[in-house]
Amino acid sequence: MTADNDAPSKEPAATDSPADGPRKKKIAIIGGGCGGMAAAWGITHSPEADQYDITVYQYGWRLGGKGASGRNAKLGERIEEHGLHIWGGMYENAFQVMRGAYAEVDRDPSLPLSAWYDPDRPERSAFLPHNYITLGEYFDGAWSPWHLELPRNDELPGDGHLLPSIQDYIEMAVELIGEVVLGADFLWGIEKHEGPVRDERPSFLHRLLELFAAPVRLALTEAEHAIVRKHVSKARQAFEDLPKDPQNHTQAHYDAVHGATGSILHWIMDLFGHVLERNAELRRLYMIVDFAHALIKGVLHDRIISEGFDVVDGVEFTDWLRQHGASELTLNGPLSRGWHDFFFAYADGDPARPSLSAASGLRTLFRYAFTYKGAFFWKMQAGMGDTIFSPMYQALEARGVKFAFFHRVESLGIRADGGATDQIQTLTVSRQVDLAPGVDTYRPLKNVKGVPSWPSEPLWEQLDPAQVEKLQAGQVNLESWWADWTPVETLELKRGQDFDQVILAVPPSASRFMTAELMEADQGWRRVVDNIASNQTIAMQFWLTETLEELGWDHPSTVGTVYADLMNTWANMDQLLAREEWRDQDPPPRCVIYCCGTIPDAVPIPPRSEHGFPALQDERVKATSVDWLSSNIGPLWPKAAIGGTPQLDWALLLTPEGAQPGQLAFDQQYWRINIDPSERYVLSVPGMAQYRPKAKGTAFGNLILAGDWLYTGINAGCVEAAVMGGLQASKAITGYPERIIGDDL
């Protein structure tokens, strides 16, 4: 591996100079997911944009990678996702790119998704803020929901403001503890017609604290009120005494801070410890303070402020919290487990094997909790493909980027004239299909109710009719690694002729199959490929004929996690029904729910020649989905269950005309397992940060990397990390952008 280098690549331009000016440098981008698209976006918006000729090579018919979605024309043009995708309000770089994309495509303002966000006209917004969250808590043999409504703020994601330092995050955590305990007192004071006990600043716990008011006001006395205020004041003062320069920090400084927050925790236990098991509200208050105290103590004890997050990368997050005093109640509760579910952090997809680096846990937790803008979440108002990749595709194509659909890159070669080199010399590419006579360029989008959308199948009319007949007869999936299909042509692209630089924007789980020569020549690259862990994820979507309220949910639309495995994360996505076309369906769907999670890997993962493997895995996930719906509906939606049981009343599922009723109605729903090498979810297992490369992190001068598997300021699988990785690639080539928000933490 070479040393990290953020400077622009010095790969020279070709020497031929046509009459109309110097030859443009040709860039081949392998993969059209978030990383590849962000790389193309950055390059085409750099001051040197006109010097580059970019081609994105994408197998199959759509962009998106793990974020792809499609429209099923046979079933109401319904949206079918690879998983559950909801953007965080901390996605600073991703929103900055999307705001630019929507501005450039400049859609008719009368149409839906014609603006990234318009608070005055939500009907045209691609994103809308969402603040309601539900955590499942399994306690004393039963599930109970923990509802949180997080407050809005006046900021908008993508504004480009720099992020807080690690020391700032700890100050926020100290304030969080104060807000929890004083917030409860504050509500108690209002109950007693006293004035506000202090100037309150907006906090994401305010609404939560309404739940705590009743039990707290029964227990607090004037004396206890004074005691907890003293503890909070002491904690704040201890942090104010912490020098701004981390090099001047001493152990005494740290002991004063976490000693004071520990005193608050002890106060809670002294006052309420005897009722925590039977009082859910107080138990959750305790877990928040206990969790925050362990974070504060751990960051200070391990000198993360001065040394950086990576000093704890080798420790599993739960173990790290335990080392710093978190109780088993907290460690087994929804806060700890929720962060594992949120990042699919289970080795080989096994829920019994949680595996999240403490460094990645802290990076993501601080970003999500303390830097979100506008709202904690922003819900897309159509599918991920329609909301993200359609405007990105349209904007980049208008800037001259070419898209080679149905082109699968099989290998990268470094050998020329019989010897190995330090440059990518060839790309071997399989062209999967021919286009129909008279079709020069595949046009991938279709219009669904005014929204440019990606179909769930290729637009067959644009492909060679004879090949289409064979593809449909064999039910061949051109997006599958195991597809039983012989490409129509194999191309060998050459350096200096077809490309000058290569951006590899697919994860190691897929790139290992195309970089055998590179792994042999560069042990550093081999270590990357061998040590970047991933797992399979699963997803399920089901449409129902009754509203969420009619199903027994008496809360706002929510995003939920920490529920029953394997589909432990879920969300109500009713906002998407307006984007689907159900006018011929009677009755139409009135509610749609998305679920996702992980599933243990098949052992072993078979070779590409095992064409039947995807069908077997599809059946495995179908059975898992039916079992989950048969066992876990009652605690969430009691009126959707057969009376007194946890089992779904199958009659509530949307049943298209001619479909079978009852449990067989599930056959008309949607489920998916992401088993392809390029679809596997990149994990953040302990010790993996050392293997994450930067964009210029290989021994090959014209190879640049992109994606959420790079070393970024997040180091976890999410859209924001993928965009940061893509912008790293752009910066390595052009120097643009000069700064990637949050990439230096």
Side-chain angles (χ1 to χ4, degrees), residues 60-133:
W61 63 93
R62 55 183 164 179
L63 301 174
K66 292 188 288 290
S69 70
R71 296 302 196 107
N72 189 325
K74 299 173 184 175
L75 290 170
E77 294 289 2
R78 72 183 189 187
I79 295 165
E80 298 176 341
E81 294 275 7
H82 278 45
L84 172 56
H85 299 288
I86 298 175
W87 281 34
M90 48 70 75
Y91 283 12
E92 188 64 22
N93 297 284
F95 271 110
Q96 194 171 66
V97 170
M98 291 316 302
R99 290 170 68 165
Y102 275 92
E104 288 191 21
V105 297
D106 192 25
R107 293 175 175 169
D108 182 341
S110 67
L111 295 175
L113 276 70
S114 55
W116 85 274
Y117 173 55
D118 184 344
D120 297 321
R121 295 181 60 190
E123 71 278 1
R124 65 184 295 252
S125 296
F127 294 89
L128 288 176
H130 179 89
N131 291 288
Y132 204 83
I133 298 171

Side-chain angles (χ1 to χ4, degrees), residues 104 393-401:
E104 288 191 21
Y393 166 75
Q394 292 174 319
L396 289 173
E397 188 186 43
R399 284 180 170 266
V401 175

Side-chain angles (χ1 to χ4, degrees), residues 209-275:
L209 295 176
E210 293 176 4
L211 298 175
F212 301 151
V216 168
R217 68 171 174 263
L218 293 175
L220 283 178
T221 65
E222 293 295 335
E224 297 295 346
H225 184 177
I227 290 172
V228 72
R229 278 184 160 282
K230 182 178 179 180
H231 288 320
V232 171
S233 178
K234 186 176 179 180
R236 288 172 173 158
Q237 185 60 54
F239 193 88
E240 289 178 9
D241 292 340
L242 196 64
K244 297 300 181 186
D245 184 352
Q247 300 306 316
N248 295 327
H249 292 178
T250 67
Q251 190 60 46
H253 287 125
Y254 292 163
D255 290 345
V257 175
H258 67 70
T261 58
S263 296
I264 297 171
L265 189 63
H266 292 315
W267 171 83
I268 294 175
M269 284 302 294
D270 288 343
L271 201 59
F272 303 120
H274 62 292
V275 298

Side-chain angles (χ1 to χ4, degrees), residues 406-463:
F406 303 105
H407 282 66
R408 181 191 287 276
V409 176
E410 305 289 358
S411 65
L412 286 70
I414 58 172
R415 304 191 184 281
D417 302 324
T421 75
D422 63 352
Q423 304 285 322
I424 306 302
Q425 298 288 349
T426 59
L427 297 177
T428 302
V429 181
S430 294
R431 187 166 61 81
Q432 295 175 291
V433 292
D434 290 317
L435 299 181
V439 177
D440 296 325
T441 302
Y442 183 77
R443 312 303 301 175
L445 301 179
K446 61 187 295 185
N447 188 293
V448 180
K449 298 179 72 173
V451 177
S453 304
W454 301 85
S456 289
E457 296 181 346
L459 296 174
W460 300 111
E461 65 275 11
Q462 298 185 46
L463 304 183

